[in-house]
Amino acid sequence: MAHYTITIDETGETYRCSDQETLLVGMEKLGKQGIPVGCRGGGCGVCKIEVVAGDYTKRRMSREYVSEEDEAAHRVLACRVRPAGNMVLRVIGLMKKNVCRQAE
Amino acid sequence: MAMNGVLRPGHAALRVLDLEEAVNFYGNVLGLQETGRDKQWRVYFKAWDERDHNSVVIREADKAGIDFFAFKVDGKKTLEKLDADLRAYGVSTERIPAGEMLETGERVRFQVPSGHMIELYAEKKDVGNGISYVNPDPWSAASEKGIAPTRLDHCLLYGPDIEKVQKLFEEVLGFYLVEHIVLEDNKTDLAIWLSTSIKAHDIAFVRHPEPGKLHHVAFLLDSWERVLRAADLMSMNHVSIDIGPTRHGVTRGTTIYAFDPSGNRFETFCGGYQTYPDHQPLKWTMDEVGTGIFYHDRKLNDRFLSVVT
Ligand code: FES
Ligand SMILES: [Fe+2]
């Protein structure tokens, strides 16, 4: 099991996430904030992020919220993505406003 | 009270992102019984104490959510009458032939103004609950497997025009309003709970800009203790929990909201008072909406109004 450093671009928040864990659950487990938490199953779209840098693996996510173009441009759901290296990401989901306000 | 017309929720058809993962979840974690698979690759389940062949049907798709929610009616005559009544009311209906769903009779399908597909049907094969119809035992091994709810209980759907939905359910299908949340204007409802029985709700709607969304499908447990046992099983199985165990102010039910592996919210629900069509509806105001939804927290979580599939 490998651990990587995840950086949330807007807030500068960083956390360590294992390659066995999704970006979202890895963040939550450490009591960190930044990515909005919804269903954790790739269905609701609230955890949408843009991967600015870094490698990852992914599972199927709802086409309702992630188009093929999104996926190709690394706009993905944090609850369906596991790190395969250090990553930098930006939060772009619908609830972004709520969470960034809380995190400030 | 005579039970006639629309009897109860009959089946929910859900979309999942990974079929085998969902089969494991619904079968082994929630503890429903798999009752069949069809040529469209749909998988059928029922809760242990349900007698009809199926109440949950899942299929793999590229998005999560609900395809349709159905009610059983008390006979073929009622089905014909309600189909005619719906058409007379201006709702177009579609007949889906018997057998299109395993062991299920002809269905009448229609869309309600919130964007959801609702179905009515009169016949589904009685496969029993595994306990004899003569001198029955109170429970069986199946009632202890996984969370093991006794039945599909209700659903909460999100979409626009819920006042039109309410009118249709009341005027054509014979439902009645049990509770509602009224917005600050003291006129418009944010949410409505409707019953076709003496249950505090058989279906509920929340006003929401996007049509056709699923908030949750609920399964009934017999006691608060079983709700706590469900919470333990969820944690043991790494199920994504939304909130709970807690109580709803609305309906008084005890509850956990959690998500299936594709992000569809489900509820393990116990209690809820009994109601009758002559009861005055209970009203909640926006300053107490948190108490209405989550009685102990007394506030909504971020997810209640925004996380749907
Ligand atoms: S939290 Fe729902 S899609 Fe990620
Ligand atoms: Fe519910």
Side-chain angles (χ1 to χ4, degrees):
Chain A
M1 185 166 70
H3 282 81
Y4 300 108
T5 300
I6 313 301
T7 306
I8 300 176
D9 210 14
E10 299 96 320
T11 58
E13 179 81 274
T14 63
Y15 61 96
R16 298 281 285 167
C17 186
S18 97
D19 58 1
Q20 311 288 302
E21 207 94 70
T22 66
L23 294 176
L24 190 70
V25 170
M27 177 196 78
E28 274 191 289
K29 270 196 161 170
L30 297 171
K32 302 266 182 173
Q33 288 186 331
I35 311 170
V37 179
C39 67
R40 307 181 187 90
C44 76
V46 309
C47 68
K48 196 166 178 183
I49 55 168
E50 184 178 337
V51 177
V52 181
D55 293 332
Y56 58 90
T57 59
K58 63 188 176 191
R59 290 191 60 205
R60 190 175 206 171
M61 32 201 138
S62 174
R63 273 281 171 260
E64 187 94 351
Y65 302 106
V66 179
S67 64
E68 281 173 47
E69 301 83 79
D70 278 340
E71 216 173 315
H74 307 288
R75 291 187 294 268
V76 290
L77 300 176
C79 66
R80 301 296 265 184
V81 164
R82 291 163 212 257
N86 295 336
M87 292 177 73
V88 179
L89 53 92
R90 233 174 254 146
V91 177
I92 57 175
L94 287 174
M95 282 162 73
K96 178 183 172 172
K97 255 193 255 132
N98 298 343
V99 173
C100 286
R101 210 188 325 120
Q102 275 175 13
E104 270 160 22
Chain B
M1 175 192 175
M3 279 283 283
N4 48 34
V6 179
L7 296 177
R8 60 171 177 273
H11 53 255
L14 301 173
R15 297 185 295 270
V16 299
L17 300 175
D18 181 324
L19 190 66
E20 284 314 313
E21 182 185 42
V23 165
N24 178 57
F25 169 78
Y26 283 99
N28 296 323
V29 181
L30 189 54
L32 304 181
Q33 298 175 323
E34 185 179 326
T35 54
R37 299 192 183 208
D38 69 15
K39 287 195 207 104
Q40 300 177 41
W41 301 98
R42 292 179 296 190
V43 184
Y44 294 67
F45 296 91
K46 71 183 254 320
W48 73 268
D49 206 16
E50 289 173 324
R51 299 172 180 192
D52 287 355
H53 179 268
N54 60 75
S55 61
V56 173
V57 184
I58 60 173
R59 71 174 175 102
E60 187 167 295
D62 67 2
K63 50 184 86 153
I66 189 162
D67 282 335
F68 48 87
F69 191 80
F71 294 93
K72 191 174 193 186
V73 305
D74 69 354
K76 279 182 148 176
K77 256 208 201 132
T78 301
L79 190 65
E80 294 303 330
K81 177 180 184 301
L82 290 174
D83 189 5
D85 291 351
L86 282 163
R87 286 164 187 265
Y89 191 79
V91 179
S92 47
T93 62
E94 183 192 348
R95 305 286 285 225
I96 297 165
E100 195 275 341
M101 264 177 61
L102 292 182
E103 306 292 1
T104 305
E106 191 178 22
R107 290 130 65 204
V108 171
R109 179 185 288 181
F110 54 99
Q111 189 169 34
V112 294
S114 56
H116 300 92
M117 302 307 291
I118 301 293
E119 294 184 349
L120 305 173
Y121 67 94
E123 294 176 319
K124 193 177 281 187
K125 187 177 182 193
D126 176 353
V127 296
N129 61 1
I131 300 171
S132 175
Y133 279 116
V134 181
N135 306 326
D137 291 320
W139 49 275
S140 68
S143 63
E144 305 305 305
K145 187 193 167 200
I147 292 171
T150 56
R151 67 167 185 230
L152 168 71
D153 192 82
H154 64 268
C155 69
L156 171 57
L157 304 175
Y158 273 41
D161 295 328
I162 63 171
E163 66 289 335
K164 292 183 190 149
V165 177
Q166 179 181 345
K167 203 162 170 273
L168 191 160
F169 269 87
E170 286 178 348
E171 292 180 11
V172 187
L173 303 176
F175 285 58
Y176 61 99
L177 182 70
V178 181
E179 300 204 31
H180 58 141
I181 299 172
V182 185
L183 288 168
E184 286 90 350
D185 68 2
N186 204 20
K187 281 204 300 271
T188 318
D189 282 333
L190 170 67
I192 52 174
W193 283 260
L194 303 169
S195 180
T196 184
S197 62
I198 61 166
K199 289 158 61 186
H201 56 333
D202 287 296
I203 193 166
F205 291 89
V206 165
R207 189 179 301 279
H208 184 75
E210 302 158 281
K213 292 292 178 180
L214 171 67
H215 189 273
H216 67 265
V217 171
F219 298 92
L220 187 68
L221 293 171
D222 276 344
S223 69
W224 177 227
E225 199 176 3
R226 295 287 291 199
V227 176
L228 299 177
R229 177 179 171 277
D232 290 341
L233 284 165
M234 287 178 199
S235 204
M236 283 177 206
N237 289 284
H238 300 275
V239 172
S240 168
I241 297 179
D242 181 359
I243 192 167
T246 182
R247 181 196 282 280
H248 292 308
V250 176
T251 75
R252 299 182 196 155
T254 50
T255 179
I256 305 167
Y257 281 160
F259 298 97
D260 81 0
S262 306
N264 295 306
R265 194 188 276 92
F266 68 98
E267 174 177 32
T268 51
F269 175 84
C270 167
Y273 53 80
Q274 295 186 350
T275 182
Y276 291 92
D278 64 323
H279 283 183
Q280 191 179 132
L282 303 178
K283 168 176 157 180
W284 294 83
T285 55
M286 284 308 281
D287 54 335
E288 289 295 336
V289 65
T291 317
I293 304 300
F294 301 125
Y295 192 68
H296 299 156
D297 297 72
R298 277 186 253 128
K299 58 175 193 291
L300 296 184
N301 62 5
D302 269 352
R303 290 184 283 273
F304 183 78
L305 287 172
S306 53
V307 172
V308 290
T309 55

